[in-house]
Amino acid sequence: MSKFGTIAYHVCRLALAVIFIYAGMIKADDVVGFAGQIANYRILPYAWNYLVAATLPYLELLCGILLLLDKRVRPALLVLFVLNLVFIAVLTSAILRGFDIDCGCFRPNSEHPSPPQAALIRDIGFGVLMIVTWLLRSVQVRKEVE
Amino acid sequence: MSNPLLSPALRRTLLEAVVLCVFAFAVGVSINFRVVFDAFSGRTVSATRIAQTAPVVEAQPDAAQPELFPFPAMLEELDALVADGALLVDARNADAYRAGHLPGAVSLPLGELDAKLAGFKEQVPLDRIIIAYCSGYGCPDSFDLGVRLLQEGYAEVLVYEGGIPEWHDAGRPLEGAGQ
């Protein structure tokens, strides 16, 4: 892989790592508040909102740490990409149902809430970044094998 | 027999992704076991808040009277309590109450408590069981309202922490909803 490709890969990887470590840490810090934000989407039964709020931040955090360490990058990217698809589906559902809610993507009960529309555009951007990182990683692995 | 659609590398990636999910799930549940357990058993925040607040009370042995805390009430207990004469009290704001509330509940918003408490006390005797609720998910208003009502002399005050969302998810009707 060219020097530019290597730099691009590491920039993308580190950007995703920082985003998801940040998102995971602040949500893990307020599980009950995050459960309330998941509940705003009115998709899961009451107690299941708590279960998702208790576990999802650790998945984001773990994947972010693996990206930061440049270890198990493709499994971490795959998990985050699937999560991102779920977020996009849920946000689209909220928009179609006319919900004016905070997306709950980062800090629960934030003073500066993100509407679902803005969060949807951001998540599509994250998805593109993940695909680019995956492709750059594949090129890098192929080069290492050769 | 190998699946021609999945290369060995992709199969390994998928397997590692599943292991990641299982590991993160186990870590999250272990760290937040109490919250998850309480949510699935119908108790959410009251007990935790009592535990967090209690040491402060213990640190003030000279206080004139010990601070009282409302006990949690679970969804399954509400029907029997109401049949015994308990009064459901909605601690959310008046707009939220009008949009839909538990059947038979009266409105006593925490934010308007000072203005409405005298009228409430005229209508509700101190020996009546009170069950306060709000929007669930750590909503503090019902707990804070419960503490105030205990301080005002009500003998038995409970907090239904599941509040509106748990009630609604249980398929129970809300009074005033859709009107």
Side-chain angles (χ1 to χ4, degrees):
Chain A
M1 189 160 61
S2 68
K3 191 175 179 184
F4 174 77
T6 305
I7 293 171
Y9 162 68
H10 288 300
V11 168
C12 292
R13 173 179 66 78
L14 291 173
L16 287 169
V18 169
I19 289 166
F20 283 97
I21 288 173
Y22 174 70
M25 281 177 71
I26 56 178
K27 282 186 281 202
D29 192 44
D30 185 3
V31 169
V32 175
F34 182 41
Q37 288 192 311
I38 298 170
N40 287 338
Y41 288 96
R42 295 179 221 168
I43 290 174
L44 296 172
Y46 179 73
W48 286 82
N49 294 308
Y50 282 96
L51 184 63
V52 173
T55 53
L56 182 62
Y58 293 93
L59 190 54
E60 292 182 332
L61 199 54
L62 182 62
C63 292
I65 290 170
L66 289 173
L67 287 173
L68 185 70
L69 298 175
D70 205 11
K71 303 282 184 196
R72 300 284 182 271
V73 170
R74 286 199 289 194
L77 280 173
L78 181 63
V79 170
L80 290 178
F81 188 72
V82 172
L83 271 185
N84 206 52
L85 289 180
V86 173
F87 295 157
I88 288 171
V90 166
L91 286 164
T92 305
S93 153
I95 292 167
L96 292 177
R97 287 181 289 161
F99 293 171
D100 182 19
I101 55 176
D102 179 18
C103 79
C105 311
F106 292 96
R107 187 177 296 280
N109 304 317
S110 167
E111 290 177 5
H112 306 288
S114 299
Q117 291 84 351
L120 182 64
I121 293 168
R122 189 171 53 206
D123 280 355
I124 291 170
F126 288 165
V128 171
L129 189 59
M130 288 169 198
I131 291 171
V132 170
T133 311
W134 176 283
L135 293 175
L136 289 170
R137 174 69 181 177
S138 299
V139 172
Q140 195 186 42
V141 168
R142 212 174 300 136
K143 198 80 178 173
E144 284 170 8
V145 170
E146 288 169 5
Chain B
M1 195 169 73
S2 63
N3 186 340
L5 292 174
L6 297 176
S7 67
L10 190 55
R11 269 208 303 270
R12 184 178 164 182
T13 301
L14 280 170
L15 183 65
E16 288 177 344
V18 171
V19 171
L20 269 181
C21 293
V22 172
F23 181 71
F25 182 86
V27 170
V29 170
S30 302
I31 292 174
N32 298 295
F33 176 76
R34 176 53 57 188
V35 171
V36 174
F37 179 77
D38 284 352
F40 276 90
S41 58
R43 301 184 300 271
T44 46
V45 182
S46 288
T48 312
R49 293 190 58 163
I50 291 167
Q52 287 170 346
T53 318
V56 177
V57 177
E58 288 168 5
Q60 299 172 336
D62 297 332
Q65 64 179 69
E67 194 164 349
L68 300 169
F69 299 103
F71 282 101
M74 289 187 265
L75 177 64
E76 301 77 35
E77 300 171 317
L78 292 190
D79 292 335
L81 286 164
V82 171
D84 282 347
L87 177 66
L88 291 163
V89 178
D90 192 318
R92 303 170 303 154
N93 65 46
D95 287 342
Y97 175 81
R98 275 193 292 274
H101 53 266
L102 269 57
V106 299
S107 175
L108 186 60
L110 185 67
E112 301 172 39
L113 187 59
D114 290 337
K116 294 192 170 176
L117 186 60
F120 180 83
K121 288 180 79 172
E122 280 176 15
Q123 293 178 6
V124 182
L126 293 175
D127 59 356
R128 188 162 183 190
I129 301 170
I130 305 290
I131 306 170
Y133 72 87
C134 51
S135 304
Y137 304 106
C139 149
D141 289 11
S142 54
F143 184 88
D144 294 344
L145 178 66
V147 170
R148 278 292 304 274
L149 292 176
L150 284 166
Q151 289 169 348
E152 291 295 326
Y154 282 93
E156 194 166 353
V157 181
L158 306 168
V159 170
Y160 170 43
E161 280 287 352
I164 292 288
E166 189 185 43
W167 179 272
H168 184 260
D169 285 352
R172 297 187 172 211
L174 292 172
E175 204 169 76
Q179 290 176 9

